[in-house]
Amino acid sequence: MHTHDDRRLDLKSLLDQLQADQRLCATDASRVLEHSARAADGHPLELIAGLGLADRQDPGRQLDLDCLCQWLANKVGQPYLRIDPMQVDLAEVTGLMSAAFAQRHGILAVAADATGVTIASAQPYQRDWEADLAHSLRKPIRRVLASPLRIRQLGQSLFRLAHSVQRASHQQGTHLGELEQLLELGKRQMETRAEDAHIVHIVDWVVQYAIEQRASDIHLEPRRDQGHLRYRIDGLLHAVYAFPVSVTLALVSRLKHLARMNVAEKRRPQDGRLNSRLPNGREVELRLSSLPTPFGEKLVLRLFDPNQLHQGFDRLGLDGPLLESWTSLLSQRQGIILVTGPTGSGKTSTLYASLKRLATPQVNLCTIEDPIERLDPSFNQLQVQPGIDLDFASGVRALLRQDPDIIMIGEIRDHETAQVAVQAALTGHLVLSTLHTNDACGAITRLQELGIADYLLKATLLGVMAQRLIRTRCQACLGQGACQDCRSTGFHGRTGLFELLVLSDGLRAKISSGTDLNVLRQQAMAEGMRGLRQYGEDKVASGQTTLEEVLRVCS
């Protein structure tokens, strides 16, 4: 292998070194050389990885690009970096060098601070660019070795984004102001001139990138000096990009326009929805919510994958005896079943999975929601519209005239809605709904606070499920936090924690005007109810998550 500066990696030398380290055999090396003679020019490690050869030192594992890069980094004594774009200050690093310079040398800035700039390269012996860049930046250069594919893909994406942001910001004072007026007047749709294409491209990038990063929500937040883009991933928010304020407002206008919201109305909150088609043809639905702030409208986009409509209970983390009890509740012909928990605890996913189980051709299942979270063709959905006095209570009354068997009420939040839910249950319907309470027993006292009489509670309430979402350990690195899948957090994806209260005669006897929450909980635990934390401890014991994560969510 070369040890001279300013030399590119040589395929033959790399293959010799891999053989010397017993990572591949002579036959494999010959196959790579034959393949390279027919292949287009590319990075030698990509050529080797492209054949999917077995790692002779680690049976069952392939010599993939990640593995080869790590091997090379150890060989040349440079730190290896799995580039995680969520850990990179995207706006800052693209300003450190030109796109042409980065592309010419196959490098990418990945971090910068007062002590220096970290540059990723897949050519560890090439140093001809270092002196020029260090002189230009007036800072020392720290080198790391990274995947040539990641450097190339991320570099192209980031520099194109930075170019669009720069051009959109420059044009904002003239063209975008004119564009916004046109939108407000409703004279014509967004023009497709080259200037507008920059905002279109940024919006596309924001959505596509969110999906790539497994985000559940996108936050566009205008501030005094900058507009912030943040993604919620596995329940936690991550800063992604800092846009000029003018560009942020233009992105909000563009998204509102796509979602058929009133672009001219900036003083009132609005809701909207739109569908986005991914390059692979898959469709993702986005639900938008705007909110006026002193510096412009904040926009939150919640992402819904239509495939999630078909999620089974196992994907939600609901299994074993708990699932049997829940399924038994759902088989009842009449009564009220509640799902409780804070916002973002997965209540909607549990309800929709339950509705999918219940929505057979033999029943009429109707929902009233605010807003309709996910459109589903297997049941009838009604949207709350306060502007025309269609709230939950009046909506349920309308649904009761539609010969329903099962009714789902998006949320019970006032006395009137609670009252009609009880009346629906008393008249022979199965009612499913949600409440915002900390635990299952709290639903009983919450309904009492909403004015439901004790005898009606005892007659109609079948059961309550409280739930939370916790992050699950990354399967790729087994929670060690050493892989790109989990961006070095040790967690990838989420699962549910559940607490199921089934109303027994013993519990009904404890319901009275002065019901003590602790008395209810003690009775429920005595009858076998397992709390959220106990359910979490089972997940810890099975290796799905950590005790710290359970305590974080259940504290």
Side-chain angles (χ1 to χ4, degrees):
M1 190 180 288
H2 296 295
T3 55
H4 310 295
D5 282 0
D6 301 333
R7 298 293 298 270
R8 296 179 70 81
L9 291 169
D10 174 68
L11 179 61
K12 179 72 168 62
S13 297
L14 285 171
L15 291 170
D16 290 344
Q17 198 73 20
L18 282 163
Q19 286 183 80
D21 287 354
Q22 299 183 338
R23 303 301 289 270
L24 51 74
C25 62
T27 307
D28 289 339
S30 299
R31 282 182 59 199
V32 174
L33 290 171
E34 286 173 21
H35 173 69
S36 68
R38 299 189 301 270
D41 287 341
H43 193 283
L45 292 186
E46 288 185 88
L47 290 172
I48 299 170
L51 289 182
L53 302 170
D55 185 345
R56 302 287 171 177
Q57 283 285 356
D58 190 357
R61 183 173 178 182
Q62 284 188 349
L63 283 173
D64 57 23
L65 190 54
D66 186 57
C67 176
L68 288 166
C69 288
Q70 201 157 15
W71 166 81
L72 179 61
N74 291 335
K75 278 284 168 196
V76 301
Q78 288 183 10
Y80 172 57
L81 178 71
R82 297 178 180 88
I83 301 176
D84 174 10
M86 296 300 293
Q87 304 293 334
V88 176
D89 187 332
L90 307 183
E92 181 182 38
V93 300
T94 49
L96 296 174
M97 68 183 82
S98 70
F101 185 86
Q103 188 174 8
R104 182 162 68 250
H105 297 290
I107 60 178
L108 184 69
V110 290
D113 57 32
T115 63
V117 178
T118 303
I119 304 292
S121 167
Q123 292 286 352
Y125 299 124
Q126 284 197 310
R127 316 191 73 88
D128 53 340
W129 50 266
E130 277 190 36
D132 288 343
L133 189 60
H135 178 73
S136 167
L137 297 175
R138 296 177 182 173
K139 285 183 178 181
I141 300 294
R142 294 185 293 260
R143 292 191 59 145
V144 293
L145 195 140
S147 156
L149 181 63
R150 292 292 288 163
I151 291 171
R152 191 166 61 248
Q153 289 178 338
L154 192 58
Q156 289 171 351
S157 169
L158 286 188
F159 282 109
R160 191 172 166 222
L161 173 68
H163 173 71
S164 290
V165 171
Q166 185 181 19
R167 292 299 302 273
S169 179
H170 177 70
Q171 292 149 359
Q172 183 66 15
T174 54
H175 170 62
L176 287 175
E178 167 202 330
L179 170 64
E180 195 164 12
Q181 289 173 15
L182 290 170
L183 288 174
E184 288 174 4
L185 294 170
K187 288 182 178 178
R188 54 193 166 98
Q189 291 191 342
M190 179 166 283
E191 299 177 13
T192 55
R193 294 187 294 180
E195 297 87 49
D196 300 342
H198 295 303
I199 290 297
V200 172
H201 169 239
I202 299 168
V203 166
D204 288 346
W205 180 87
V206 166
V207 174
Q208 300 282 350
Y209 190 53
I211 292 163
E212 286 172 17
Q213 300 302 316
R214 301 183 297 106
S216 60
D217 301 84
I218 302 170
H219 291 241
L220 268 170
E221 303 166 313
R223 296 285 194 269
R224 187 187 301 279
D225 302 316
Q226 290 180 316
H228 296 286
L229 171 67
R230 295 196 291 170
Y231 292 161
R232 188 177 295 281
I233 303 169
D234 290 339
L236 302 178
L237 279 168
H238 299 261
V240 178
Y241 208 96
F243 294 110
V245 174
S246 57
V247 173
T248 308
L249 298 178
L251 296 178
V252 170
S253 289
R254 166 74 178 163
L255 284 160
K256 284 177 65 179
H257 174 67
L258 290 173
R260 298 182 180 178
M261 297 159 74
N262 184 351
V263 180
E265 178 56 77
K266 301 180 186 302
R267 300 163 301 165
R268 295 180 181 175
Q270 294 184 61
D271 295 311
R273 64 171 70 235
L274 64 91
N275 288 329
S276 177
R277 190 172 291 279
L278 304 184
N280 63 10
R282 190 162 63 93
E283 233 184 40
V284 171
E285 185 178 303
L286 296 101
R287 196 184 79 210
L288 287 74
S289 170
S290 70
L291 188 75
T293 77
F295 306 111
E297 287 179 287
K298 174 184 174 176
L299 198 64
V300 174
L301 297 82
R302 174 154 285 188
L303 284 74
F304 291 112
D305 184 344
N307 295 331
Q308 286 186 333
L309 282 174
H310 307 289
Q311 264 192 164
F313 289 119
D314 55 334
R315 290 284 304 277
L316 301 173
L318 190 56
D319 50 25
L322 196 69
L323 178 56
E324 288 178 24
S325 299
W326 182 248
T327 307
S328 175
L329 277 181
L330 295 176
S331 67
Q332 301 298 310
R333 299 294 298 274
Q334 66 184 76
I336 297 175
I337 301 172
L338 297 173
V339 182
T340 79
T343 301
S345 59
K347 298 189 298 295
T348 299
S349 295
T350 299
L351 272 183
Y352 270 80
S354 303
L355 295 178
K356 294 292 284 187
R357 174 75 63 98
L358 293 169
T360 64
Q362 291 78 36
V363 301
N364 177 19
L365 197 163
C366 304
T367 76
I368 176 162
E369 304 171 62
D370 181 27
I372 293 175
E373 297 269 9
R374 308 173 194 178
L375 295 169
D376 192 295
S378 58
F379 39 84
N380 309 292
Q381 295 171 281
L382 177 63
Q383 166 76 52
V384 165
Q385 298 187 59
I388 57 171
D389 292 328
L390 177 57
D391 55 17
F392 279 119
S394 58
V396 173
R397 291 191 190 98
L399 291 181
L400 286 171
R401 296 191 289 272
Q402 288 280 311
D403 184 32
D405 298 291
I406 301 166
I407 296 172
M408 190 277 270
I409 304 170
E411 183 186 349
I412 295 176
R413 58 175 73 145
D414 54 42
H415 167 74
E416 199 176 1
T417 307
Q419 198 67 44
V420 294
V422 167
Q423 290 303 320
L426 286 172
T427 52
H429 303 90
L430 183 64
V431 179
L432 285 80
S433 189
T434 70
L435 272 178
H436 285 281
T437 64
N438 288 330
D439 59 18
C441 293
I444 294 173
T445 53
R446 177 71 181 131
L447 288 173
Q448 288 176 321
E449 289 166 8
L450 290 174
I452 301 302
D454 296 336
Y455 75 93
L456 291 176
L457 259 178
K458 296 177 185 182
T460 57
L461 190 60
L462 298 173
V464 184
M465 177 123 81
Q467 70 176 82
R468 300 288 190 279
L469 287 176
I470 55 165
R471 296 179 295 168
T472 50
R473 289 175 59 176
C474 175
Q475 295 305 302
C477 67
L478 301 177
Q480 297 303 306
C483 76
Q484 199 166 300
D485 281 10
C486 66
R487 59 181 54 89
S488 302
T489 63
F491 296 99
H492 187 285
R494 291 191 291 174
T495 190
L497 296 185
F498 303 94
E499 174 181 280
L500 181 58
L501 174 74
V502 179
L503 266 289
S504 64
D505 290 340
L507 275 164
R508 288 189 178 93
K510 300 286 183 184
I511 297 175
S512 64
S513 56
T515 302
D516 185 325
L517 198 56
N518 290 325
V519 171
L520 281 176
R521 191 163 183 82
Q522 287 167 9
Q523 178 69 29
M525 301 294 262
E527 293 181 7
M529 183 184 84
R530 306 188 74 242
L532 288 164
R533 190 175 292 191
Q534 287 175 288
Y535 201 77
E537 287 167 358
D538 291 347
K539 301 279 186 186
V540 174
S542 64
Q544 293 180 60
T545 190
T546 65
L547 184 59
E548 291 77 15
E549 177 67 5
V550 171
L551 295 175
R552 179 184 73 84
V553 171
C554 295
S555 60

